[in-house]
Amino acid sequence: MTSVKNNNMLPPGLVSNLQQVLLSRKGGGGGEEKGSDLSNDDNDQSTEPSTSACVENTEEEDNNNSKPVVLVTNGDGIDSPGLLFLVEALVREGLCNVHVCAPQSDKSVSSHSVTLQETIAATSAEINGAVAYEISGTPVDCVSLALSGALFSWSKPLLVISGINRGSNCGYHMFYSGVVAGAREALICGVPSLSISLNWKKDESQDSDFKDAVAVCLPVINAAIRDIEKGVFPQSCSLNIEIPTSPSTNKGFKLTRRSMWRSSPSWQAVSANRHPSAGHFMSNQQSLGLQLAQLSRDASAAGAARRLTTQRKNMVEIESVGAAGKSDSNRVKKYFRMEFLDKEQEDTDEDLDFRALENGFVAITPLSLSIEEDAHLAASDWISSTLHVDQ
């Protein structure tokens, strides 16, 4: 008979045999005798085998340990529907162990910023089927911390997925984007990554569209997990996936190139009597209030900047102050608001990301740390062999 050193590692066949022996010893006795035996089992765990329920749990844990780890982050914050629908689907698919490390608040336009000389808080979060933490930092902070080994016990995930972001990140918006930066940080650390965004449109899109977006990109994710394990996924690039406004009616996948598309920043001066502290400016937003989002100091310059954000997306207000050391009476304060305004794009090349997205395709753009043309070639064969794409 095989020697048993650890009840948690009992082979299923051996457990079955031992259970049959125990049943025969009990002789099919009544409920009271059976209850007594169970009590004895509980009091002498060193000599009796685990129950069938414990064995099933052990087998499930062993199965989970054999699965690859996929790390999910985003730019919109851990409570965003894009991330939650994505994690739910990954858990349901059961191909991987899902770990989440995402900002605790919206950091969608944080680019590749990192937090230095300040303490980052990592707080556990409840997301069914996943190990999750919310981080008081940027998407890059989240990925960097997760891959450092300081937060999770594993050394490296198989794949990092950043998204699903609310709003497209085509063209030059990739440089502003926190969700793309999260995937880029993974690539810098040598981990394959995907960034995913939904082309959200005000008064047209709704949160349920994220569920459809997950269904659209899930085949790409599953293929990436499979082929990374096989060693045939492109190593030199990250894939940026842009999903059209109506995900369920998309025209298919299209391999695209990064365009030079961008929205125009529009800075508007705000008079002192319309500063958020005044009722006039906040007359239609009294319930929103103001949040202090970031305090930054510039030690090399005479001034300092204070950034305040409202809950209105893409709006930043900056208070400019004069040189340090001067009396308050000599300081000059000016107030500004910034918004991104869309503008018409003249480029009609159908292979560019924003144009394919406008035409209803799911645009997949390889992004590289080196020359993007090389990355495009490296990724095109894999994408073409995995998905039916229009090239």
Side-chain angles (χ1 to χ4, degrees):
M1 186 173 183
T2 305
S3 174
V4 178
K5 296 183 179 179
N6 185 340
N7 287 339
N8 290 331
M9 299 300 293
L10 290 174
L14 178 58
V15 171
S16 178
N17 290 338
L18 289 173
Q19 288 173 339
Q20 290 178 7
V21 171
L22 287 173
L23 289 174
S24 65
R25 286 180 180 176
K26 293 174 184 177
E32 292 182 2
E33 181 180 357
K34 185 175 182 180
S36 176
D37 286 339
L38 287 174
S39 177
N40 289 336
D41 290 345
D42 290 339
N43 293 331
D44 189 10
Q45 295 180 4
S46 62
T47 58
E48 296 293 343
S50 303
T51 65
S52 59
C54 289
V55 171
E56 290 175 0
N57 290 337
T58 299
E59 291 175 348
E60 182 178 351
E61 289 175 3
D62 290 343
N63 185 39
N64 285 337
N65 290 335
S66 67
K67 294 177 182 178
V69 172
V70 169
L71 174 68
V72 179
T73 190
N74 74 343
D76 293 340
I78 196 167
D79 293 326
S80 68
L83 181 141
L84 296 177
F85 278 127
L86 175 60
V87 171
E88 178 186 347
L90 292 174
V91 170
R92 185 174 61 248
E93 289 286 300
L95 297 180
C96 58
N97 285 326
V98 183
H99 288 61
V100 178
C101 192
Q104 65 184 17
S105 60
D106 188 351
K107 302 289 184 181
S108 56
V109 197
S110 58
S111 188
H112 210 99
S113 61
V114 295
T115 304
L116 295 176
Q117 299 178 343
E118 292 183 21
T119 300
I120 292 291
T123 307
S124 60
E126 294 293 330
I127 301 180
N128 288 338
V131 179
Y133 285 89
E134 60 181 45
I135 308 300
S136 62
T138 68
V140 174
D141 289 331
C142 294
V143 174
S144 180
L145 175 60
L147 299 184
S148 70
L151 182 62
F152 298 115
S153 59
W154 38 261
S155 59
K156 182 183 291 187
L158 182 79
L159 174 69
V160 172
I161 305 174
S162 189
I164 297 174
N165 184 69
R166 183 189 297 260
S168 67
N169 283 300
C170 295
Y172 285 167
H173 279 236
M174 294 180 189
F175 298 113
Y176 294 99
S177 170
V179 72
V180 174
R184 187 190 303 120
E185 179 67 15
L187 183 60
I188 291 173
C189 296
V191 179
S193 61
L194 309 173
S195 53
I196 309 172
S197 299
L198 171 65
N199 190 24
W200 182 274
K201 290 187 177 179
K202 186 180 178 181
D203 300 327
E204 181 177 344
S205 300
Q206 51 191 355
D207 285 352
S208 60
D209 291 332
F210 284 108
K211 193 169 186 178
D212 293 333
V214 170
V216 170
C217 64
L218 203 56
V220 184
I221 295 173
N222 291 340
I225 293 173
R226 178 194 67 215
D227 288 350
I228 292 170
E229 290 186 297
K230 292 180 179 179
V232 295
F233 187 83
Q235 298 295 311
S236 59
C237 64
S238 173
L239 300 182
N240 183 54
I241 303 172
E242 299 287 332
I243 300 174
T245 305
S246 299
S248 59
T249 59
N250 75 86
K251 297 180 181 179
F253 298 95
K254 189 176 184 67
L255 182 64
T256 56
R257 293 179 288 108
R258 182 178 61 81
S259 65
M260 294 184 289
W261 180 84
R262 64 171 294 192
S263 297
S264 299
S266 174
W267 287 94
Q268 299 293 329
V270 179
S271 61
N273 62 355
R274 295 184 64 211
H275 183 260
S277 60
H280 177 72
F281 179 79
M282 292 297 293
S283 60
N284 63 343
Q285 305 183 54
Q286 305 222 340
S287 63
L288 295 180
L290 292 174
Q291 277 185 314
L292 180 62
Q294 179 179 346
L295 179 63
S296 60
R297 292 185 176 91
D298 186 352
S300 63
R306 185 175 67 194
R307 177 180 296 172
L308 299 171
T309 62
T310 69
Q311 292 185 15
R312 180 180 296 178
K313 191 174 180 63
N314 289 340
M315 181 179 293
V316 178
E317 183 160 317
I318 292 179
E319 176 183 330
S320 175
V321 298
K326 290 186 177 181
S327 65
D328 290 342
S329 60
N330 292 329
R331 292 190 177 189
V332 176
K333 291 185 179 180
K334 297 180 180 181
Y335 303 97
F336 302 88
R337 290 188 301 158
M338 191 271 278
E339 295 181 85
F340 281 113
L341 303 178
D342 290 338
K343 62 179 182 179
E344 288 294 326
Q345 305 297 319
E346 298 179 357
D347 204 320
T348 59
D349 188 342
E350 301 294 327
D351 290 332
L352 294 178
D353 50 12
F354 83 93
R355 190 61 70 190
L357 191 64
E358 286 181 348
N359 291 337
F361 288 95
V362 179
I364 304 181
T365 307
L367 304 178
S368 174
L369 300 176
S370 57
I371 302 174
E372 290 192 5
E373 285 299 326
D374 294 340
H376 192 277
L377 293 174
S380 62
D381 289 341
W382 180 84
I383 295 173
S384 299
S385 63
T386 303
L387 306 165
H388 180 65
V389 298
D390 181 354
Q391 297 191 68

